[in-house]
Amino acid sequence: MDITERHGVGVRQERSPVAGPADQQPEWPDPRRLREVAARLAEAPPLVFPAECDRLRERLGAVARGEALLLQGGDCAETFAGATQESVEGKLRTLLRMAVVLSHGAALPVVKVGRMAGQFAKPRSSPIERRGATELPSYRGDAVNGLGFTARERTPDPERLLRAYETSATTLNLVRALTTGGFADLAQVHEWNRAFVAATPGARRYERVADEITRALAFLRACGGDTRALSTADFHVSHEALLLDYERALTRTDPQTGRTHATSGHLLWVGERTRRPDGPHLAFLAGVANPVAVKLGPTTTSDEVLRYIDLLDPDREPGRLTFVVRMGANRIRDALPLLVAKTASEGARVCWVSDPMHGNTFPSPDGLKTRRLDAITDELRAFVEIHHALGTHPGGAHLELTGEPVTECLGGSDTIASTMLSHRYESACDPRLNPSQALDLAFLLAEHYQRNRREG
C-alpha cells in the first residue's frame, strides 16, 4: 500500500499525461531516507483544512467576477531562522496595511494571502553555484539545503522537509492567533498607515487618501454600523508547489466525499520554470481541489494558456484558477493583451494577478540582485490599464515583501539608492520590498484603481 493511502487517506490519480521527470527537483543523496521522511509526513496532521481551502476558493471566485481584489505577498524564500513572531507580525502588518489602502481605492474587498508557512523551496537557473574554483549545489531553499557555501550546508537533506512542516505549523498557529485576536483591527491598521504618511516626507502625498479613509471609518461609527467584523481578518497562506515529494505526502483524500486537497497550504502555484503543460507539477495541481495558480512569463503563448485552463479548470469555475503575470515592465504591454483576450473569448473566468517583481530584477554594480520601485509600479500600471482597455478585471498583485526595514529594492519614500543596498540586504534569494516601499506601492496602485473606476 502506498504511504499516502493509509487510514483512508490517499492521493487522487493525477489527471494529465506526464512526460518525463519533474523539473527543479533536488538530487537527494539518500533516496531511502527521503522515502522515510515522506512516510512520516504522510502520517502527520494536515497544515490546512479543506473547508479553509474551499472558503478561499469562493473568495477568489469574487476576484474572478470582478467583485474583489487579491493581495498576495511575503518572502521570496522563507527561512527557518526567520520564522519568528516579530517577522510574522511584520509581514502580516504590512499586508493588512496595504489591503486597507487598496480596498478604499478600488471600492472592493481585498482577499489577503501570504507567501508564508510553506515558501521554503526555490527553483534555480543553475543547479550549481561557483565561487572561484569551488563548485557546490545551488541553494534551493531551507527545505532542501543551507545557504552557507560549504559542502555540508549545500548537500540536500530530507530531514529539512520535516523542519519545513514544523516551521509552517508554527507560523500558521501564529497567523491564526493574530488575525482573530485584535491585531488585524481595521482602526489600528489605519492608524499605522496614518503614522507612515505623517512621518515619512515622501509619503505625505498620500494624505488625501488617508484622510478619506479616516472619514469613512468615522461615518461608519457615527451611523451605528456593526464594526465587530472589522476587528478580525480572513487570511490564507500560499507557496509554490515545487517539491513534489513533500506536496504528495501532505495530500489527503476525504474517504466520505472523495475530494482531494493539498494540505500544505491553501493556495498553491506552479512557477515559470515548472509550468510545462505535460509536466508532473501541472498534473499534481490538476488532482487537488485547492485554488491553484500558474505564473506566466513573457514567452507564454495563448495556446499554453488554453491548455492550462483545460487542465486545471475544465469546469470553468470562478476562483479555481489564477494566472499570475510576471513579464517585466518593458514587455507586458506587448505580451499580455493577447493572453487576456484569448482567455476571455473562451469564457474562462480566471483571476488575473500581477507579479511585477520577477520580470524587473537586475544586478547592482556590487553584484546584488535588486529591483527599482519605479519599474515595479510601471508594470502594475500597465497591468491595470490593459485590463481596463479590454473590459476585464485586474484582479490584484502578487509581491515579494517583508515587514523588516531592509534595503534590497531601490527607490520609494525611503529613497534607497544603490549605494545603500548592502546596509540591510538580508534576503535568502531575491530582493523584497520593505514596509515603506510596499505602502508606496499600495497607495499608487489604489490611485490607478480609483482613476479607472471613475473613468469606467
Side-chain angles (χ1 to χ4, degrees):
M1 178 180 293
D2 188 89
I3 58 174
T4 53
E5 294 177 343
R6 299 171 184 168
H7 308 300
V9 175
V11 178
R12 187 172 59 188
Q13 181 68 35
E14 293 169 350
R15 297 187 308 192
S16 72
V18 175
D23 301 312
Q24 293 286 335
Q25 302 304 287
E27 294 185 10
W28 303 105
D30 187 350
R32 180 188 60 81
R33 185 62 190 138
L34 176 63
R35 290 192 295 271
E36 291 173 352
V37 167
R40 290 177 61 183
L41 289 170
E43 297 286 1
L47 290 170
V48 302
F49 300 95
E52 297 173 331
C53 300
D54 294 345
R55 185 161 60 248
L56 176 59
R57 187 164 168 167
E58 290 174 4
R59 296 204 161 116
L60 290 174
V63 176
R65 292 188 296 269
E67 301 164 0
L69 296 179
L70 170 63
L71 176 61
Q72 187 173 358
D75 287 317
C76 167
E78 291 179 283
T79 63
F80 299 150
T84 64
Q85 179 174 341
E86 181 181 10
S87 175
V88 172
E89 286 182 352
K91 283 178 280 191
L92 183 58
R93 182 186 296 112
T94 301
L95 287 166
L96 291 172
R97 294 167 73 180
M98 296 178 71
V100 169
V101 175
L102 287 175
S103 185
H104 171 75
L108 293 172
V110 174
V111 181
K112 295 168 282 292
V113 178
R115 285 174 60 111
M116 298 167 65
Q119 185 60 11
F120 292 108
K122 290 292 292 182
R124 304 314 301 260
S125 56
S126 172
I128 298 296
E129 181 180 352
R130 295 178 179 85
R131 297 187 188 179
T134 304
E135 287 189 359
L136 291 174
S138 293
Y139 172 66
R140 290 185 175 273
D142 274 15
V144 177
N145 55 6
L147 188 58
F149 195 69
T150 66
R152 180 176 180 180
E153 281 277 291
R154 292 299 179 88
T155 300
D157 180 4
E159 292 289 332
R160 286 177 168 269
L161 297 176
L162 295 173
R163 191 169 177 192
Y165 170 87
E166 293 162 358
T167 307
S168 297
T170 300
T171 300
L172 272 165
N173 287 340
L174 182 55
V175 166
R176 287 171 174 138
L178 290 170
T179 53
T180 59
F183 184 84
D185 185 273
L186 181 59
Q188 173 178 258
V189 172
H190 180 53
E191 284 305 310
W192 292 334
N193 282 352
R194 284 176 57 84
F196 162 73
V197 171
T200 310
R204 288 177 185 164
R205 64 190 185 275
Y206 307 137
E207 282 181 322
R208 179 185 59 80
V209 175
D211 288 344
E212 289 175 359
I213 298 173
T214 299
R215 288 194 295 271
L217 290 173
F219 177 76
L220 180 62
R221 287 191 292 267
C223 291
D226 186 355
T227 60
R228 287 174 297 179
L230 304 181
S231 64
T232 63
D234 248 359
F235 194 86
H236 296 85
V237 298
S238 66
H239 63 269
E240 180 174 359
L242 182 63
L243 302 178
L244 292 184
D245 292 297
Y246 179 82
E247 301 299 341
R248 287 166 174 154
L250 286 171
T251 301
R252 306 285 186 264
T253 298
D254 186 331
Q256 293 183 333
T257 67
R259 300 182 72 229
T260 299
H261 286 82
T263 68
S264 62
H266 300 113
L267 167 64
L268 304 182
W269 76 83
V270 166
E272 172 74 355
R273 293 189 176 99
T274 54
R275 62 177 175 83
R276 185 160 49 93
D278 62 349
H281 289 88
L282 268 295
F284 174 77
L285 291 192
V288 297
N290 305 56
V292 298
V294 181
K295 289 216 174 180
L296 306 180
T299 62
T300 308
T301 67
S302 56
D303 286 343
E304 286 175 323
V305 165
L306 295 184
R307 289 185 69 184
Y308 298 144
I309 294 170
D310 288 341
L311 174 63
L312 299 175
D313 186 25
D315 298 327
R316 305 297 195 264
E317 178 191 346
R320 161 63 175 172
L321 177 59
T322 296
F323 284 142
V324 182
V325 179
R326 43 155 294 174
M327 295 182 169
N330 61 342
R331 302 184 71 176
I332 186 172
R333 291 173 176 85
D334 294 328
L336 181 59
L338 177 61
L339 304 186
V340 175
K342 189 70 171 178
T343 300
S345 71
E346 294 293 318
R349 302 292 294 273
V350 305
C351 303
W352 286 101
V353 174
S354 172
D355 168 2
M357 308 293 290
H358 285 89
N360 296 303
T361 307
F362 66 95
S364 74
D366 293 335
L368 295 171
K369 288 194 291 186
T370 189
R371 293 153 173 162
R372 294 188 185 279
L373 189 63
D374 286 348
I376 293 169
T377 55
D378 184 39
E379 181 163 355
L380 273 171
R381 182 187 307 113
F383 174 79
V384 173
E385 290 173 350
I386 288 166
H387 281 281
H388 185 63
L390 294 172
T392 51
H393 180 53
H398 180 130
L399 306 167
E400 291 184 342
L401 56 82
T402 178
E404 306 294 327
V406 299
T407 56
E408 298 172 1
C409 294
L410 302 174
S413 295
D414 288 345
T415 61
I416 293 177
S418 59
T419 55
M420 301 168 62
L421 289 177
S422 60
H423 291 186
R424 283 200 62 175
Y425 197 103
E426 300 173 2
S427 176
C429 194
D430 289 340
R432 303 160 297 174
L433 301 170
N434 62 32
S436 175
Q437 292 169 325
L439 282 170
D440 272 317
L441 198 64
F443 276 104
L444 292 170
L445 184 56
E447 290 174 359
H448 294 315
Y449 277 112
Q450 198 170 45
R451 185 181 308 115
N452 286 332
R453 179 163 52 89
R454 288 168 178 164
E455 293 174 357

